[in-house]
Every structure is written in structure tokens, then in C-alpha cells.
């Protein structure tokens, strides 16, 4: 029988095809570091580069489709960083729209303006948030005893931003790098348009944030946090919404009609 005892003074190495394990000292970060917190957007809102789409792929964007997939991109001119403003153009160089570049996402560009003279500056995003708030007021959705979706992403020309109002508090969810870099401007505009008691950031789904290449820790952004659940009236009932631990922004506001039907 062969002698399988370890020879004195010999340290066994890894088997072929197996890497040696290294014990990580306490406090040392793992190799899979979390996605970075986005840097603030350039205040000028002017393009740092130009994205040209492939031939015969421009038509949806002339129809104001808000996303440019990586498969539609022919080439990039300039060296924009992720989160920078870029212009979208046809293969021949004709201007189509202006948006925000993100090389980490399959949605390479999110489009926010279709006028070449319009910069993607703070004034544009403030105006759109004010417009969204005014629309909810016109629809009778500004009752502070209830809840409503104040900003509905592409529906309000603010791709990647959702804002729900629960009583006097706002829950914000950011799902695009373009909006993550403009969070201070967004909060300023919400303060002006709504005058909430507090603005809380709700984290996006982990997988989505990872695909967009950013990380925003959830928590209080402005004002004060609620002491507990926020109670809102809907369909003659009072609903307690936990903005700290609740699912997504806290409540399924798009299920209002289904809750009404189930109550009958």
C-alpha cells in the first residue's frame, strides 16, 4: 500500500485547476465591491458627446421613444462619462434627441429632450416636476389625507423617476443613473412644488440598480421621517403605509380600482 503520509516540511498546495484560497482580513472589502454612488450631474446640461444610431434604426426615436438600446448604437463620438449628457443622431449625423449616457446599462441612452436648443439642466427637470404636480392637482389627486403617484417615470417625461405621495410625505424611487445624479435638483423641485413634511428615498430593486451601475442607500433625504406608518384614506378605509420597510415605494397605488372592486 502506498505511503500517503505528508512528507515533513512540505506544505500542500492547491490541486490542479484549483486556486489557493486567501483568508480576507477583517474589514477588507470583498472583490465584488458595491456599485458606486453616482456623481452629481454637470449643471450646464450640454452634451459631452454624440451617439449615432445604426442605419434604419432611428425611426422610433423620431416618435419620441425614450430609450436607446445598446443594439441600436452604431458608434459613440467623444468621451462622455456615465451620467453625462449626449446628443442622439442618425447615422448621417442629423440631430434626433438629447439624453443621458450610461455604458453600464443596456439602455445606453435615456432621452429627455427632442429640441436641440434645450439643455438638460436643472430648470428643465424642475419644470417637469412642477408640471407633474400641477396635473395631479387638476385631477383632484392632491388631497393630503390620501395617496397618489406624483411622478410616473416616462409618463411625465422623467424616465427613471417615481414619486409617490402619502399624506404629507413623499417616497422617491430612482431606477436610472440619469436621475440618481440629479437627486438634489429633484428634491429641490419637490420641496417647491409640494411642500412635503419629508422626502424619503426607497431603494430600487437590487438587480435593476446593479444593471444601471449605481447604488443609492435608502433613507431620509429632506425634512423629517414619519414616526410610524402613514395613514391614508382610500375607498372609505384608512390604510397604514410603512414608508421605512414597505414594498417598493410603500403601497401599490396602481391597484386602487382593484381594491375598490374587491370591497364591493
Amino acid at each position: 500500500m502506498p505511503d500517503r503520509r505528508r512528507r515533513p516540511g512540505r506544505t500542500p498546495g492547491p490541486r490542479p485547476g484549483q486556486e489557493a484560497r486567501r483568508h480576507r482580513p477583517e474589514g477588507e472589502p470583498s472583490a465584488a465591491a458595491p456599485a458606486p454612488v453616482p456623481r452629481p450631474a454637470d449643471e450646464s446640461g450640454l452634451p459631452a458627446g454624440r451617439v449615432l444610431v445604426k442605419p434604419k434604426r432611428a425611426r422610433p426615436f423620431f416618435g419620441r421613444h425614450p430609450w436607446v438600446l445598446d443594439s441600436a448604437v452604431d458608434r459613440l463620438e467623444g468621451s462622455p462619462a456615465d451620467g453625462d449628457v449626449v446628443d442622439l443622431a442618425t447615422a448621417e449625423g442629423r440631430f434626433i434627441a438629447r439624453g443621458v449616457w450610461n455604458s453600464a446599462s443596456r439602455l445606453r441612452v435615456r432621452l429627455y429632450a427632442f429640441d436641440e436648443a434645450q439643455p438638460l439642466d436643472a430648470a428643465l427637470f424642475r419644470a417637469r416636476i412642477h408640471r407633474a404636480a400641477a396635473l395631479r392637482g387638476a385631477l383632484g389627486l392632491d388631497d393630503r389625507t390620501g395617496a397618489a403617484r406624483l411622478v410616473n417615470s416616462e409618463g411625465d417625461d422623467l424616465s427613471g423617476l417615481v414619486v409617490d405621495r402619502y399624506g404629507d410625505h413623499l417616497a422617491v424611487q430612482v431606477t436610472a443613473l440619469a436621475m440618481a445624479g440629479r437627486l438634489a435638483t429633484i428634491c429641490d423641485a419637490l420641496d417647491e412644488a409640494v411642500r412635503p413634511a419629508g422626502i424619503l428615498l426607497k431603494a430600487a430593486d437590487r438587480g435593476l440598480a446593479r444593471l444601471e451601475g449605481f447604488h443609492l442607500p435608502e433613507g431620509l433625504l429632506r425634512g423629517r421621517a414619519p414616526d410610524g406608518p402613514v395613514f391614508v384614506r382610500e375607498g372609505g378605509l384608512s390604510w397604514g403605509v410603512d414608508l421605512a420597510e414597505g414594498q417598493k415605494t410603500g403601497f401599490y397605488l396602481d391597484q386602487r380600482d382593484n381594491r375598490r372592486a374587491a370591497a364591493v
Side-chain angles (χ1 to χ4, degrees), residues 52-69 71-73 88-91 94-98 109-114 154:
L52 283 78
V53 297
K54 294 176 179 177
K56 300 181 180 180
R57 297 294 294 272
R59 185 174 180 180
F61 311 117
F62 282 116
R64 301 202 169 195
H65 185 75
W67 305 333
V68 182
L69 288 172
S71 58
V73 174
L88 185 71
T90 65
R94 178 186 171 192
F95 176 84
I96 303 173
R98 184 160 289 157
V109 188
R110 289 183 186 251
L111 302 176
Y112 295 97
F114 294 84
E154 288 82 9

Side-chain angles (χ1 to χ4, degrees), residues 4 6 13 30-31 54-55 75 77 109 118 124 133 146 150 156 165 169 194 200 205 207 222 224 234-235:
R4 299 182 182 274
R6 186 183 303 169
S30 64
K54 294 176 179 177
R75 66 186 187 274
E77 296 179 349
V109 188
Q118 175 63 65
L124 173 70
L150 186 65
D156 290 296
R165 181 185 53 73
H169 286 83
V194 185
L200 293 92
D205 294 338
R222 300 281 178 91
R224 58 174 177 81
E234 181 191 281

Side-chain angles (χ1 to χ4, degrees), residues 132-150 164-167 194 234 253 256 260:
L135 175 61
R136 274 59 178 186
L139 294 173
L141 297 174
D142 56 351
D143 180 3
R144 292 299 179 106
T145 66
R149 177 144 294 178
L150 186 65
D164 287 345
R165 181 185 53 73
Y166 298 98
V194 185
E234 181 191 281
L253 291 176
R256 188 190 312 269
R260 185 181 296 113

Side-chain angles (χ1 to χ4, degrees), residues 8 32 35 175 230 238 250:
T175 59
V230 176
S238 180

Side-chain angles (χ1 to χ4, degrees), residues 233-256:
R233 300 287 298 178
E234 181 191 281
L237 298 174
S238 180
W239 301 81
V241 181
D242 188 345
L243 297 185
E245 301 293 339
Q247 176 78 359
K248 295 189 176 181
T249 61
F251 198 49
Y252 290 98
L253 291 176
D254 58 344
Q255 298 299 308
R256 188 190 312 269

